[in-house]
Amino acid sequence: MNNTLDLNHRLFSSPGQGYWPEATPEQWSDWQWQMRHSVKSLDHLTGKLKLTGEEHAGVLLANTKLAMGITPYFFNLIDPFDPDCPIRRQVIPRIEEMTYAPSDMADPCGEDHDMPVPGLVHRYPDRVLFLVTDRCASYCRYCTRSRVVSGVGEQELELDFDRAIAYLQKHTEVRDVLLSGGDALLLSDRRLEDLLRRLRAIEHIEFLRIGSRVPIFLPQRITPALCAMLKQFHPLWMSVHVNHPRELTVEVREALGRLADAGIPLGNQSVLLRGVNDDPAVMKVLVQKLLRCRVRPYYLYQCDLIRGSSHLRTPVSKGLEIIEHLRGHTSGYAVPQYVIDGPGGGGKIPVNPDYVVARLPDCIVLRNYKGDIFEYPDVASAGGEAPAPTPAYRHLEFIDPIEEREEITSRSWRAGRRD
């Protein structure tokens, strides 16, 4: 990334009204106006973007699989002249979405078979995922739930709040409820408040979470009234979804600030996407900019094996490379956990660079972010014999810990030999 691009990514700017100059300021700041004027068809794109052949075909076929929908606010972040624009790649359909790789799955996270009642996914012992709507402010082209969201998927999302609440009342092991969908923040204040109140009335539910991309796609929705309502239900946490630093605008920073001022802890979940954020420099700017918005980078997801997403997926090695370039090179608060959702319902599996170079009977050999090698004395397991005395900590110098693994295992060091 060049210095100019880096600076531009770090700045908080506003996309303005762009292609909608006729809107009054009151209309532009009205989230329901934004939803009514969502970009949904080829006609809506005319005069705004010069589509590539792949995009033109993708837009024509979009409503047979996952609808196109982009709020005017978010649409103005798209570079109309760059088909590789990272915002554009996330929300403009492409014909590649109709090509399925052999590993692609309709339900890559296996949610359907862990759904004891409609809309409620109970996979982990003490927490549930509560799907409360099938609509989003805009539709990500890599959506894990494309089979059920937007109204044109291959399945219809069946919802039954009463049965879900009854299930939660009965299952006292559940202490954590995550509201998602679709996007829970598209519910009206009244309907969302009623649902949160019913959940908070269940004694064994200790805290609530909301997963939402609305603060990014539709920051106008984060009104003072909404924040005041949410504040009633603490402890309440929120996970937002930002993939590229350009998404963090003045409007988004202010919306996130209102949520933070309401006492809601904020975390971010990014999806690793080819041509969007598969660059360590871009990701570093993103996570640092998130902290400036009072958002803790939480997860970096390997893109799920959703049907038609192979053109957006990256090798796992790219995710590991990004974590390597973050760890030690920026604040620890800025480093997310890289995870892969086990295909078919395995849940989130953390994936980390290998910082343990070798395990010996009385110590482990570690490398730091610069590749320097250190020995840390281990202790005996409970009931076991104490390890032999270990010399004082040493900084062990050699070039490549991977190439030297055999040498380490045999206890032969370039920086001296252990007797």
Side-chain angles (χ1 to χ4, degrees):
M1 180 188 296
N2 62 49
N3 291 335
T4 302
L5 188 60
D6 181 56
L7 176 61
N8 288 339
H9 281 168
R10 288 185 180 280
L11 294 175
F12 291 94
S13 59
S14 171
Q17 293 187 205
Y19 296 104
W20 289 266
E22 72 284 357
T24 66
E26 291 74 22
Q27 288 173 327
W28 188 255
S29 60
D30 180 354
W31 70 274
Q32 293 176 325
W33 182 95
Q34 291 277 335
M35 291 297 294
R36 287 195 300 271
H37 290 80
S38 181
V39 175
K40 297 180 178 179
S41 69
L42 186 61
D43 286 345
H44 291 168
L45 291 171
T46 301
K48 297 182 177 70
L49 292 184
K50 183 179 180 180
L51 298 176
T52 66
E54 292 82 2
E55 290 173 330
H56 187 275
V59 171
L60 290 176
L61 292 171
N63 287 329
T64 64
K65 179 187 175 188
L66 174 66
M68 180 178 71
I70 313 166
T71 59
Y73 159 81
F74 196 76
F75 187 90
N76 284 338
L77 292 175
I78 295 174
D79 186 331
F81 307 108
D82 181 9
D84 294 322
C85 165
I87 306 301
R88 187 165 169 165
R89 286 181 64 82
Q90 294 183 66
V91 292
I92 299 294
R94 295 179 61 90
I95 191 61
E96 291 92 334
E97 293 176 22
M98 308 309 293
T99 300
Y100 297 167
S103 58
D104 286 356
M105 307 169 72
D107 180 17
C109 294
E111 292 175 343
D112 289 346
H113 66 66
D114 285 329
M115 197 174 289
V117 299
L120 200 68
V121 180
H122 191 177
R123 170 174 299 140
Y124 298 103
D126 69 339
R127 53 202 184 277
V128 297
L129 168 66
F130 194 173
L131 305 178
V132 299
T133 178
D134 66 350
R135 300 306 156 108
C136 295
S138 298
Y139 293 105
C140 304
R141 308 318 302 174
Y142 50 89
C143 178
T144 295
R145 299 192 187 106
S146 59
R147 71 192 185 282
V148 293
V149 302
S150 83
V152 300
E154 59 193 72
Q155 296 175 222
E156 182 177 348
L157 179 62
E158 185 182 354
L159 301 175
D160 191 327
F161 287 5
D162 290 339
R163 286 182 64 188
I165 294 294
Y167 179 92
L168 292 171
Q169 290 170 334
K170 179 180 178 181
H171 286 262
T172 57
E173 73 275 17
V174 176
R175 51 179 290 277
D176 170 8
V177 177
L178 168 61
L179 301 184
S180 187
D183 202 307
L185 292 188
L186 287 187
L187 299 180
S188 68
D189 287 8
R190 182 194 59 76
R191 193 174 184 205
L192 182 57
E193 180 176 12
D194 178 68
L195 180 58
L196 291 171
R197 195 175 303 283
R198 294 178 72 183
L199 291 169
R200 181 54 72 212
I202 302 173
E203 185 175 353
H204 55 270
I205 293 179
E206 297 177 1
F207 76 106
L208 304 172
R209 290 183 286 156
I210 297 175
S212 178
R213 195 133 151 82
V214 156
I216 317 306
F217 283 149
L218 189 61
Q220 295 86 350
R221 173 69 181 101
I222 311 303
T223 63
L226 173 67
C227 294
M229 182 274 286
L230 293 175
K231 193 174 181 179
Q232 302 175 80
F233 300 104
H234 284 315
L236 174 69
W237 296 58
M238 188 175 294
S239 291
V240 298
H241 176 177
V242 186
N243 291 325
H244 191 274
R246 193 185 298 176
E247 299 170 44
L248 293 171
T249 64
V250 171
E251 291 88 344
V252 169
R253 180 179 60 182
E254 292 174 351
L256 294 171
R258 288 191 287 274
L259 291 168
D261 287 345
I264 300 172
L266 300 170
N268 183 65
Q269 301 182 138
S270 295
V271 178
L272 184 59
L273 299 168
R274 186 188 302 274
V276 175
N277 54 17
D278 58 336
D279 180 328
V282 169
M283 190 61 73
K284 185 176 179 180
V285 175
L286 171 60
V287 296
Q288 292 175 342
K289 202 171 179 182
L290 282 165
L291 290 185
R292 293 160 65 196
C293 294
R294 294 189 278 175
V295 179
R296 168 76 159 88
Y298 179 34
Y299 281 139
L300 172 61
Y301 278 97
Q302 178 69 11
C303 186
D304 288 329
L305 300 175
I306 191 66
R307 286 178 178 170
S309 66
S310 60
H311 63 292
L312 289 170
R313 293 202 294 268
T314 67
V316 173
S317 59
K318 178 55 70 174
L320 294 172
E321 176 192 351
I322 286 171
I323 299 300
E324 287 259 29
H325 279 79
L326 294 178
R327 177 67 63 190
H329 296 279
T330 191
S331 310
Y333 280 123
V335 183
Q337 173 64 65
Y338 181 37
V339 295
I340 298 175
D341 253 310
K348 299 176 186 65
I349 301 169
V351 185
N352 292 297
D354 191 358
Y355 295 105
V356 177
V357 178
R359 297 178 185 272
L360 302 175
D362 61 349
C363 69
I364 61 172
V365 182
L366 308 167
R367 68 179 178 90
N368 71 358
Y369 72 102
K370 294 188 291 186
D372 297 333
I373 303 300
F374 298 85
E375 179 183 313
Y376 184 85
D378 207 357
V379 297
S381 59
E385 296 181 0
T390 304
Y393 305 115
R394 293 186 304 283
H395 178 180
L396 305 171
E397 301 280 1
F398 54 77
I399 298 171
D400 187 335
I402 304 302
E403 291 181 358
E404 299 298 332
R405 187 182 304 274
E406 183 176 346
E407 185 177 356
I408 292 171
T409 305
S410 65
R411 297 192 173 200
S412 177
W413 320 93
R414 280 190 192 172
R417 181 181 300 276
R418 287 191 63 204
D419 296 327

